[in-house]
Amino acid sequence: MLRTIDLRGRVLTPTDLSAAVPRAAAARDEAFATAARIVHDVAGRGEAALREQAERFDGVTGHAIRVPQAHLDEALADLDLDVRRALEEAIARVRRASEAQVPPPVVTEIAPGARVEQRWRPVQRVGVYVPGGKAVYPSSVVMNVVPAHVAGVAEVALASPPQRDHGGRVHPVILAAARLLEVTEVYAMGGAGAIGAYAYGVDGIGLAPVDVISGPGNNFVALAKRVVAGRVGTDSEAGATEILIVADDSAQPRWVAADLVSQAEHDEQAAAVLVTASEELAHAVAVEVEALATGTEHRERVSQALVGPQSAIVLVDDLATATAFSNAYAPEHLELHLRDPRVDDFVNAGAVFVGDHSPVSLGDYLAGSNHVLPTGGQARYASGLSASTFLRPQQVIAYDRDALAQVQDDIVALSTAEALPAHGAAVTTRFDAASAP
C-alpha cells in the first residue's frame, strides 16, 4: 500500500534530499488558484458568495450564518458528559502550557535616564477556523481559543462549516466547545470562503474584519491564508496533516503502523511517511499498515492517503541520513522511535514526539501542546500556534534630557551621513536656547 523510496547507497546533497521528499505539489498548486478565486468572490459579494459556497461545498441552504446564542446554549446542555470532561481537561492542559508562552515585560537601562521597555501586546480581534468536513474537531476549538484568551485577545470569532446532517448548523460538539470557552461570535461558514470573510468582513452578517486568522484546515484553507496574508496576520499554513516517523530496528512495527494510519484517517491528502535504515522494520510496518488500513472505519480515505504521492516508506543507509531527510522534509508531526533519539539534531519540525508512548494522537488532544502546526515544509521557518501568535512585541522608549544630550552628537553624525539633516535637527533644537521652554 505504501510505496518505497530507496535512497540507500547514494551520497545525498541537500538538493537531492529536498527532491526526494514526497509531496503532492500539483494538488497544492491547484488548491491555491481555487482558494484565491473563492476568497476574492467573498471579498466582492459577501454574504451571497458565502451562501452559494455553502450550497456547493456543504449541501446547505437557508441556514443562519451567524449562529444564534440559543444554538450554543443548547449544544452545551446536550453535550455528552464524557466528552465535556475530556474537553475541560484539554482546556486546562493547553491553558497551562500556553501561559508559559507569554513573555514578561523587560525594561533595559541603556544608560542613566535612558530606558527601553520590551512588552507584548495582544491583537484586538482574532478569527478562529475549525474544520468540519470529513471529521469533527472540537479539540481545534480548544487549541485556538485558549492561547488567544491567554494572550489577552479581546474579541474571538469562530467559524466552522455548516453541517447538512444538522440542518445547516455548525456541528453541535464544536458549538458546545465554543460555549465552554465563552465564545459567543460564531459563524456557520467553511473553507477558503471563511478565510476571505475574516479578512474582508461581511457587513450583511455583522462580521467585522479580524486582525489575525488562525486554525487548521485542508489545503484550500491553508492556501487561502496565503492569499490574504498582508491584509491580515495569519498563523502558519496548517493544511493537510503530515506525520514523519524516524525509526530504527528497536521500534514496534504495529505501533508505528498505527500512528501512520491515524494521521491518514484525516483525509485523502494526509501524508504518512516512515524513514528507516532497517529493511526488516520497513517490511513489517508495510504489512501492519495494510492490515490496519483495511480494517479501520475510514478505510477508503485512509487507503487513498497512503497510496498518494505524499506518503511513502523511505529506506536510508543510516540514522544520519534519516535525520538529514527529516530536516529537509520539515514535517508537521515528527515521531522518533529510536534507541538514542538525539532530539536536538532534528531541527525542523512543528512538534516532536519522543519515544514509544508519545504518539501524535496524544498531541492532538491532551498533551498540553498545541496541535495547530505548520505543514508543507514550513516548519523550516514557521512555528506552531501558541499564545505568541496573537502577541506583538512593542518597544517603549523613554529618555530624559541628559540621556538625549549624551547621544546628540552621534545622532547628528549619522543623520548627516544619511543625508537626513532634519533628523539631527529634531534633536539639536531641544538644546537651542531660543527654543527652550
Side-chain angles (χ1 to χ4, degrees):
M1 181 170 289
L2 279 168
R3 67 191 176 109
T4 298
I5 300 173
D6 195 340
L7 300 180
R8 293 174 296 180
R10 297 168 54 187
V11 177
L12 298 165
T13 67
T15 302
D16 294 331
L17 288 169
S18 295
V21 165
R23 300 261 192 231
R28 285 182 66 84
D29 291 343
E30 182 180 342
F32 179 77
T34 301
R37 288 195 297 271
I38 292 171
V39 166
H40 295 146
D41 189 25
V42 172
R45 298 194 302 121
E47 182 180 356
L50 289 174
R51 292 198 176 279
E52 288 177 14
Q53 291 164 17
E55 182 175 8
R56 177 183 174 190
F57 299 121
D58 305 305
V60 170
T61 60
H63 63 299
I65 298 179
R66 175 69 183 259
V67 174
Q69 183 64 41
H71 292 185
L72 292 158
D73 295 338
E74 178 184 323
L76 183 57
D78 293 341
L79 182 64
D80 178 88
L81 292 179
D82 288 341
V83 175
R84 177 168 182 159
R85 182 170 58 250
L87 283 171
E88 289 173 340
E89 181 65 23
I91 289 167
R93 288 173 177 246
V94 174
R95 180 174 288 124
R96 184 175 179 184
S98 298
E99 286 170 347
Q101 297 161 355
V102 179
V106 177
V107 177
T108 304
E109 296 285 346
I110 304 296
R115 302 168 72 249
V116 175
E117 178 184 359
Q118 178 75 62
R119 63 180 184 176
W120 297 80
R121 308 289 288 177
V123 298
Q124 173 70 20
R125 181 166 167 77
V126 166
V128 166
Y129 184 77
V130 177
K134 294 181 173 66
V136 181
Y137 297 99
S139 57
S140 290
V141 179
V142 176
M143 298 294 175
N144 283 271
V145 174
V146 170
H149 283 172
V150 167
V153 174
E155 299 176 17
V156 177
L158 185 147
S160 190
Q163 303 291 308
R164 182 171 52 189
D165 293 342
H166 294 278
R169 296 188 183 190
V170 171
H171 195 283
V173 181
I174 291 175
L175 291 180
R179 179 65 179 80
L180 270 177
L181 288 162
E182 299 181 351
V183 176
T184 59
E185 186 181 352
V186 180
Y187 299 92
M189 57 185 187
I195 304 304
Y198 274 150
Y200 290 92
V202 181
D203 287 338
I205 58 174
L207 172 56
V210 302
D211 301 312
V212 169
I213 300 171
S214 72
N218 59 20
N219 283 338
F220 296 101
V221 170
L223 294 169
K225 293 180 185 177
R226 187 179 298 181
V227 173
V228 301
R231 184 177 185 88
V232 295
T234 65
D235 62 351
S236 60
E237 291 177 15
T241 193
E242 304 164 345
I243 181 172
L244 180 97
I245 299 178
V246 178
D248 58 25
D249 59 7
S250 69
Q252 298 291 328
R254 190 169 183 83
W255 297 355
V256 171
D259 293 353
L260 293 170
V261 170
S262 74
Q263 293 307 295
E265 183 177 43
H266 279 279
D267 63 45
E268 294 83 355
Q269 297 174 333
V273 181
L274 166 65
V275 184
T276 184
S278 171
E279 189 170 356
E280 294 77 11
L281 177 71
H283 176 72
V285 169
V287 171
E288 293 285 1
V289 163
E290 185 152 4
L292 291 173
T294 55
T296 193
E297 179 178 351
H298 302 296
R299 61 184 63 86
E300 291 186 8
R301 89 172 68 130
V302 168
S303 296
Q304 287 187 50
L306 294 174
V307 301
Q310 72 274 16
S311 298
I313 293 175
V314 181
L315 286 169
V316 294
D317 286 318
D318 49 36
L319 179 58
T321 307
T323 304
F325 183 92
S326 175
N327 286 332
Y329 187 103
E332 175 191 20
H333 306 106
L334 171 63
E335 284 190 6
L336 302 179
H337 293 249
L338 301 166
R339 289 187 183 86
D340 179 12
R342 299 176 64 176
V343 178
D344 289 347
D345 293 345
F346 294 88
V347 294
N348 296 337
V352 184
F353 298 80
V354 183
D356 288 342
H357 300 289
S358 303
V360 167
S361 297
L362 173 65
D364 283 343
Y365 299 114
L366 282 163
S369 58
N370 203 292
H371 78 200
V372 184
L373 301 166
T375 61
Q378 290 194 75
R380 290 181 296 111
Y381 53 83
S383 61
L385 186 68
S386 69
S388 63
T389 302
F390 309 109
L391 293 168
R392 300 155 295 157
Q394 184 183 72
Q395 298 178 86
V396 180
I397 300 94
Y399 271 53
D400 64 19
R401 179 181 174 85
D402 290 343
L404 181 61
Q406 186 179 7
V407 294
Q408 175 183 195
D409 292 344
D410 291 336
I411 292 172
V412 170
L414 289 172
S415 68
T416 300
E418 294 185 353
L420 298 171
H423 281 61
V427 174
T428 58
T429 188
R430 287 167 163 75
F431 300 95
D432 291 343
S435 64

